[in-house]
């Protein structure tokens, strides 16, 4: 819609915002009218109309099988559009149009903002299935007429009341029509069922909706006056009430077709099962985070015990082996600590990589600096845990074997993500400027425990490839090529 309005019309950005607000709400008008809606806006030169948005009803058959958005119509071809735009009134005159052997009643509703008519809504009703309307249909049509008059007067939609139509109640979910005093004139069967879920034993018609709603909601004190007012439809509000084990979502829409409020529409939906599932998910997420937190604490306890044991061992080789185990356990603990703070089993691995770099660098015997370039991005937990261990082993190996006790140097960890949508890959490079590999060194046959762990994790668990070669200009380069899942 933005492109069409800016390309063909002279409307300002604030006018365009008003149209967006209208389009976010007009599913309500379409469903109440049992009709298709097409929004036509005059072009900059005033010689044509361009259709910038379209809506089909959920409550009846469509009048348009084709998409109308982007169509241009010369002024004069559709007299109802001209009359509504020029006169600023709802135009219903004229005989039904025939489209593909289907009779269609066309009405035009001017869209007004601050006294100016920005465009016209063409309301198209398929008459092929018209029959004697029921009380529900009459209530729908009367409410649609009131809303159409409010659009023509510029009092609907309500400024500052952006509505998420995916989350808000719809017409078919349940509808209640109130008079100016908040007394129920009509309640659809779904609306009545929702109130029965809250514990209502009687009919709603003839009762004050605000008072009835407040009495059904659990309260330890006097009647909640704020809830009474909201449920009476005095102002556009969206809220929920809970009682008798049920949860009902309500949306109040004041009706002011001629200025003063004549009543209200209340749309409502039974969201009991939805809220129950949400609570279950919240409980499940909290349980998973608590598990990760406890695993992290247990790993830190294991690391502390290994550290104590290392201090009691006189053998240098034994002490070094235990200190390596401490770092391995610590790298896994970092992942679980990060997972304990998330709502899902995914982590931003850049933070973990930086913490692993810091942990390993603290044990550097010389003046060796370590840094990261590029981004690992978001990784699943089943990838992050082994990758953190691999990164720990490779960095530890570089610092231990690439530099002497007094050497200065640098280790760089580079991460690049690429590949296709079907198969994204992560390329990790760890390069140092140390002494390099011994002549004839074969990482695939090396008995080094750290390299054996790296090969097992990379090739076996992560399904990637591992390479270790002399770096150009001296030093060692380790490459990891891993398949990863793309995340938004």
């Amino acid at each position: 819609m933005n492109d069409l309005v800016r390309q063909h019309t002279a409307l300002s950005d604030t006018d365009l915002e008003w149209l967006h607000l209208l389009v976010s709400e007009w599913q309500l008008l379409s469903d109440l009218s049992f009709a298709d809606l097409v929004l036509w806006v005059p072009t900059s030169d005033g010689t044509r109309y361009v259709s910038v948005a379209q809506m089909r009803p959920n409550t009846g058959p469509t009048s348009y099988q084709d998409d109308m958005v982007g169509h241009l119509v010369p002024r004069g071809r559709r007299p109802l559009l001209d009359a509504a735009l020029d006169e600023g009134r709802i135009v219903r005159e004229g005989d039904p149009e025939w489209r593909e052997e289907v009779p269609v009643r066309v009405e035009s509703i001017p869209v007004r903002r601050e006294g100016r008519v920005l465009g016209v809504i063409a309301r198209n009703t398929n008459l092929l299935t018209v029959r004697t309307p029921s009380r529900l249909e009459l209530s729908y049509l009367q409410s649609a007429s009131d809303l159409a008059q409010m659009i023509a007067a510029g009092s609907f939609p309500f400024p500052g009341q952006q509505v998420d139509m995916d989350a808000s109640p719809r017409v078919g979910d349940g509808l209640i029509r109130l008079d100016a005093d908040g007394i129920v004139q009509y309640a659809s069967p779904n609306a009545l069922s929702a109130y029965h879920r809250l514990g209502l034993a009687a009919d709603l018609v003839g009762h004050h909706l605000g008072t009835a709603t407040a009495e059904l909601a659990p309260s330890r004190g006097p009647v909640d006056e704020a809830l009474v007012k909201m449920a009476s439809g005095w102002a556009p509000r969206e809220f929920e009430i809970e009682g008798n084990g049920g949860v009902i979502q309500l949306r109040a829409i004041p009706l002011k077709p001629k200025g003063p409020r004549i009543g209200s529409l209340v749309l409502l939906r039974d969201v009991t099962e939805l809220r129950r599932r949400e609570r279950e998910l919240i409980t499940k997420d909290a349980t998973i985070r608590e598990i990760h937190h406890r695993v992290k604490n247990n790993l830190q306890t294991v690391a502390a015990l290994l550290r104590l044991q290392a201090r009691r061992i006189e053998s240098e080789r034994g002490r070094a082996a235990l200190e390596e185990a401490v770092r391995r356990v610590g790298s896994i603990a970092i992942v679980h600590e990060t997972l304990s703070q998330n709502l899902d089993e995914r982590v931003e691995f850049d933070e973990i990589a930086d913490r692993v770099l810091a942990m390993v660098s603290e044990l550097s015997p010389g003046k060796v600096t370590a840094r990261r370039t590029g981004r690992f991005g978001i990784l699943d937990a089943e990838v992050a845990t082994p990758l953190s261990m691999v990164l720990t082993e490779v960095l530890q190996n570089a610092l231990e074997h690439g530099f002497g006790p007094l050497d200065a140097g640098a280790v760089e960890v580079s991460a690049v993500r690429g590949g296709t949508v079907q198969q994204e890959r992560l390329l990790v490079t760890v390069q140092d400027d140390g002494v390099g590999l011994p002549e004839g060194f074969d990482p695939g046959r090396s008995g080094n425990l750290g390299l054996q762990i790296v090969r097992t994790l990379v090739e076996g668990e992560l399904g990637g490839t591992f390479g270790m070669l002399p770096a150009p200009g001296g030093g060692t380069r380790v490459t990891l090529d891993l398949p990863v899942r793309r995340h938004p």
Side-chain angles (χ1 to χ4, degrees):
M1 186 166 74
N2 286 353
D3 294 340
L4 289 170
V5 169
R6 287 170 178 154
Q7 179 182 354
H8 295 286
T9 78
L11 297 182
S12 65
D13 288 342
T14 53
D15 292 334
L16 181 56
E17 289 176 11
W18 183 262
L19 295 184
H20 274 293
L21 188 60
L22 172 66
V23 168
S24 73
E25 292 272 30
W26 71 344
Q27 179 74 63
L28 173 63
L29 177 62
S30 178
D31 289 345
L32 290 172
S33 304
F34 308 98
D36 291 74
L37 305 179
V38 180
L39 178 56
W40 297 92
V41 180
T43 57
S44 302
D45 57 11
T47 61
R48 295 180 295 175
Y49 298 96
V50 58
S51 58
V52 299
Q54 179 178 0
M55 178 58 65
R56 292 182 173 92
N58 294 317
T59 52
T62 183
S63 302
Y64 286 111
Q65 299 299 327
D66 299 327
D67 188 2
M68 294 296 296
V69 175
H71 283 215
L72 290 164
V73 173
R75 184 178 171 87
R77 179 174 295 179
R78 300 196 175 181
L80 297 185
L81 293 181
D82 298 338
L85 183 70
D86 296 339
E87 302 172 22
R89 65 179 180 89
I90 299 176
V91 182
R92 296 190 176 93
E93 297 88 353
D95 296 327
E97 297 180 2
W98 286 83
R99 299 175 188 163
E100 299 179 357
E101 300 184 354
V102 175
V104 176
R105 182 175 64 241
V106 181
E107 304 167 82
S108 295
I109 305 167
V111 177
R112 192 183 303 274
R113 174 181 174 268
E114 296 182 351
R116 296 168 44 243
V117 177
L118 307 182
V120 179
I121 294 176
R123 181 164 56 176
N124 304 270
T125 306
N126 186 326
L127 299 179
L128 198 60
T129 57
V130 169
R131 53 186 173 80
T132 303
S134 64
R135 189 177 176 194
L136 180 145
E137 291 167 332
L138 288 173
S139 297
Y140 279 18
L141 293 172
Q142 180 58 54
S143 301
S145 176
D146 293 336
L147 285 177
Q149 291 183 57
M150 291 170 66
I151 292 173
S155 57
F156 186 84
F158 304 109
Q161 292 287 326
Q162 188 76 32
V163 175
D164 182 1
M165 293 306 299
D166 292 332
S168 293
R170 294 178 178 247
V171 170
D173 296 326
L175 178 142
I176 297 174
R177 173 94 185 203
L178 308 178
D179 65 13
D181 297 321
I183 304 300
V184 177
Q185 294 180 311
Y186 174 77
S188 71
N190 284 346
L192 194 57
S193 297
Y195 266 81
H196 285 165
R197 184 73 176 265
L198 290 179
L200 180 72
D203 194 0
L204 274 173
V205 175
H207 291 81
H208 190 279
L209 184 66
T211 303
T213 302
E215 290 174 350
L216 293 171
S219 176
R220 298 179 181 177
V223 173
D224 188 340
E225 294 297 335
L227 180 57
V228 171
K229 193 166 186 178
M230 283 192 295
S232 298
W234 287 89
R237 292 288 186 273
E238 194 165 321
F239 57 98
E240 288 186 4
I241 58 171
E242 184 171 354
N244 196 39
V247 184
I248 305 300
Q249 182 184 17
L250 300 97
R251 182 189 175 200
I253 304 170
L255 296 176
K256 305 176 181 179
K258 297 181 180 179
R261 190 177 70 89
I262 64 167
S264 304
L265 274 184
V266 178
L267 305 180
L268 64 152
R269 177 173 57 171
D270 185 346
V271 293
T272 304
E273 292 303 314
L274 177 63
R275 296 295 176 259
R276 183 185 62 81
R277 290 195 295 268
E278 287 177 352
R279 288 174 186 140
E280 288 180 351
L281 287 175
I282 290 172
T283 303
K284 179 182 176 182
D285 289 340
T287 303
I288 292 173
R289 289 199 300 272
E290 179 62 21
I291 290 171
H292 284 302
H293 181 71
R294 294 189 181 188
V295 170
K296 182 263 297 184
N297 288 343
N298 291 339
L299 289 172
Q300 289 179 336
T301 301
V302 171
L305 292 173
L306 292 174
R307 199 176 293 112
L308 287 172
Q309 188 68 32
R311 293 172 185 168
R312 294 175 177 270
I313 294 181
E314 296 180 359
S315 167
E316 289 294 330
R317 291 186 61 188
R319 186 181 301 112
L322 286 177
E323 288 174 350
E324 286 183 0
V326 168
R327 290 190 285 275
R328 289 166 185 152
V329 172
S331 66
I332 301 174
I334 290 173
V335 177
H336 283 283
E337 182 179 2
T338 305
L339 287 168
S340 70
Q341 301 167 0
N342 291 347
L343 295 176
D344 52 28
E345 291 291 286
R346 297 182 294 176
V347 295
E348 178 63 65
F349 196 81
D350 295 317
E351 178 186 349
I352 294 175
D354 291 341
R355 293 181 63 179
V356 169
L357 274 169
M359 178 182 69
V360 176
S361 297
E362 289 176 358
L363 305 172
S364 170
K367 298 179 180 179
V368 180
T369 60
R371 70 189 185 98
R372 171 180 62 86
T373 61
R375 293 191 69 250
F376 287 85
I378 299 175
L379 298 177
D380 293 326
E382 58 263 28
V383 175
T385 301
L387 181 56
S388 68
M389 279 197 68
V390 168
L391 196 57
T392 301
E393 295 296 334
V394 172
L395 288 169
Q396 185 172 297
N397 192 69
L399 294 172
E400 182 179 346
H401 300 289
F403 302 95
L406 302 177
D407 291 346
V411 178
E412 179 177 312
V413 178
S414 171
V416 178
R417 292 183 75 151
T420 64
V421 175
Q422 291 77 17
Q423 182 59 72
E424 189 172 15
R425 302 195 72 83
L426 172 64
L427 178 63
V428 181
T429 304
V430 181
Q431 183 168 320
D432 66 69
D433 57 0
V435 298
L437 297 172
E439 187 173 347
F441 178 80
D442 183 358
R445 298 182 179 180
S446 171
N448 181 288
L449 176 61
L451 291 181
Q452 290 179 7
I453 292 174
V454 170
R455 284 200 306 272
T456 300
L457 291 176
V458 172
E459 297 174 359
E461 189 164 342
L462 296 175
T465 59
F466 164 70
M468 192 173 189
L469 298 169
T476 304
R477 174 183 291 172
V478 175
T479 58
L480 311 170
D481 188 357
L482 313 172
V484 293
R485 186 186 303 174
R486 181 183 294 271
H487 293 293

